[in-house]
Amino acid sequence: MYNTRARGMENRSQMPHPDKRVLILDDDAALGSILRDFITYTCQYEAIHIEHPDNLWQTLANGKFDVLFLDYKLPGSNGIEILERLYQNPSYRNLPVIMMTGEGSETVAARAIQAGAIDYVIKTDLSLEILPALIEKAVQHRAIQQAIQEARQKVEYQAMLLNNSRDAIICWDLNNIITYWNQAAERLFGYSAEFMLGKPVFETYFSLFEQPPRRSAADENATMLGERRFRHPQRGLIWISSQISRLYGGEDGRQLIGTMDVVRDITLSKQEQETLAQSQHFIKRILETIPHIIYIIHLRENQVRYISPKVKDLLGYAIEEVEAAPFHEILGCVHPEDEERVRLHY
């Protein structure tokens, strides 16, 4: 005989959940009907009872359920096997399961919990009065699992974004211990995250540079910007731009938890700057050597943009005088006999 004591179905629980659904898999038609009716009328959940395991998967596929009451002994199967199949399927892995056994076997109960059940009940001692609390526990369990899963997915997504960043990102805590070292940092500096994590930042990371900063941004009121260089064992001299800033966290996002350095390889741009500077120096030497005056005039702006140093030797004007004067004033210095020809030329 099953112990199905209750205060009466007419005394409904104060738990209206019309959007919640409970599935009962039990080959005992009488007990399954009792559970279904009690959950429907007392707990105010939508409850569905099926008697054979073959109907389980199609029923799950046809709609979402919040709790599954699962009998241990079933035709051609048992509750442990079904639990294992549920866990293997990502769609049903987080479905809360309450195992029902016909006898008080601690072995079965332990196996059920190990297989993923959140609780178990013994049919011979089952009191309907405990069902609302069991269902509420299962619903809360699922909500917690979903929240954890969403948080984990968010963290994994953020980690993916950081690892796919072309900038190297290095973080360290208030004790100056490295806590984060992304893949771009591995590629840039040639050290793995496994090697760098947990190491003192000044002794390992900043010691790589020719002129390491003396203080952490955690000691500053503003972001520290700068350029540094280090010698890579394979690539030689590397230039980087660095942006060191405070890192905040905590519940309100205002608690100082460490420091972050966002680093970018600027070696190529530095090389281009050096090449440009060398080219400009070379051109300047040529212009200073040519025995003629070379000049660039912006006619629309009526302004001399450039004039070579020979203007001093040939005309007696300093470069600063010519570049500061409007071009029409310079034309005014032309000999009157040549004025019309020069005007027509321009």
Side-chain angles (χ1 to χ4, degrees):
M1 293 293 294
Y2 301 119
N3 183 358
T4 56
R5 293 170 296 170
R7 295 183 183 276
M9 292 186 181
E10 67 279 1
N11 296 324
R12 297 187 177 185
S13 169
Q14 300 300 315
M15 297 171 52
H17 297 287
D19 58 331
K20 300 296 183 181
R21 306 180 75 212
V22 176
L23 181 60
I24 305 161
L25 173 54
D26 195 324
D27 61 341
D28 187 328
L31 179 60
S33 297
I34 292 173
L35 293 176
R36 179 195 62 207
D37 293 343
F38 182 85
I39 292 171
T40 299
Y41 294 107
T42 302
C43 301
Q44 297 188 25
Y45 281 56
E46 179 183 355
I48 297 176
H49 171 228
I50 56 176
E51 299 182 15
H52 202 283
D54 293 344
N55 300 326
L56 173 64
W57 308 108
Q58 187 61 47
T59 304
L60 290 174
N62 289 339
K64 176 185 174 182
F65 289 90
D66 298 279
V67 186
L68 170 62
F69 281 88
L70 178 61
D71 190 15
Y72 174 69
K73 290 185 178 180
L74 293 164
S77 183
N78 63 62
I80 302 299
E81 293 177 354
I82 292 176
L83 265 174
E84 292 173 347
R85 287 185 62 185
L86 286 169
Y87 186 78
Q88 292 170 2
N89 191 322
S91 300
Y92 310 130
R93 186 172 297 167
N94 294 325
L95 175 61
V97 176
I98 299 173
M99 183 71 74
M100 299 185 296
T101 63
E103 54 188 25
S105 173
E106 294 297 331
T107 302
V108 172
R111 289 180 61 195
I113 299 299
Q114 291 173 356
I118 67 167
D119 211 334
Y120 72 96
V121 294
I122 301 171
K123 290 183 178 181
T124 53
D125 296 331
L126 177 60
S127 172
L128 296 180
E129 291 178 337
I130 69 171
L131 291 183
L134 283 176
I135 295 173
E136 192 66 21
K137 173 184 175 182
V139 170
Q140 291 177 358
H141 175 83
R142 182 167 194 168
I144 292 172
Q145 291 297 318
Q146 289 177 337
I148 293 173
Q149 184 176 357
E150 290 173 0
R152 183 183 296 114
Q153 290 174 345
K154 183 177 180 180
V155 170
E156 291 174 351
Y157 181 73
Q158 292 171 341
M160 179 201 64
L161 292 178
L162 293 176
N163 277 328
N164 281 277
S165 169
R166 72 170 184 165
D167 295 332
I169 301 175
I170 300 97
C171 301
W172 55 95
D173 61 20
L174 297 178
N175 295 317
N176 293 320
I177 300 299
I178 297 175
T179 57
Y180 185 75
W181 185 274
N182 73 343
Q183 292 178 3
E186 291 183 334
R187 293 190 297 268
L188 177 59
F189 297 107
Y191 293 96
S192 67
E194 182 180 6
F195 177 79
M196 296 300 287
L197 292 178
K199 299 287 194 341
V201 67
F202 287 98
E203 296 176 14
T204 53
Y205 173 50
F206 285 122
S207 64
L208 299 174
F209 300 102
E210 294 180 350
Q211 294 181 338
R214 297 181 179 180
R215 291 179 293 180
S216 165
D219 303 323
E220 305 292 333
N221 293 323
T223 298
M224 295 170 57
L225 302 174
E227 296 179 352
R228 299 192 295 274
R229 64 181 184 177
F230 69 98
R231 188 163 296 279
H232 194 280
Q234 286 81 39
R235 298 172 55 195
L237 190 65
I238 303 295
W239 276 94
I240 61 99
S241 67
S242 170
Q243 179 175 313
I244 303 177
S245 56
R246 293 182 174 191
L247 193 61
Y248 293 92
E251 294 182 359
D252 58 358
R254 299 180 180 179
Q255 180 182 353
L256 180 63
I257 60 175
T259 310
M260 175 175 65
D261 193 6
V262 179
V263 179
R264 177 169 295 184
D265 186 347
I266 59 171
T267 305
L268 182 59
S269 63
K270 278 290 185 180
Q271 291 172 346
E272 291 174 348
Q273 289 176 10
E274 291 176 1
T275 301
L276 179 60
Q278 291 173 358
S279 299
Q280 290 174 337
H281 178 71
F282 182 68
I283 293 171
K284 181 179 179 182
R285 293 293 301 272
I286 293 175
L287 294 175
E288 290 174 348
T289 305
I290 292 176
H292 306 292
I293 297 174
I294 298 176
Y295 55 92
I296 299 173
I297 301 168
H298 195 297
L299 294 177
R300 184 172 297 173
E301 294 182 1
N302 190 31
Q303 191 72 36
V304 176
R305 286 293 182 86
Y306 171 81
I307 193 161
S308 61
K310 283 298 178 181
V311 69
K312 178 70 174 178
D313 299 334
L314 298 179
L315 300 181
Y317 291 100
I319 294 176
E320 294 79 9
E321 292 181 88
V322 178
E323 290 183 342
F327 183 55
H328 68 271
E329 292 184 5
I330 298 174
L331 292 181
C333 299
V334 175
H335 192 279
E337 295 179 3
D338 298 324
E339 184 176 347
E340 182 64 16
R341 184 166 58 87
V342 171
R343 185 186 65 80
L344 291 174
H345 171 74
Y346 287 107

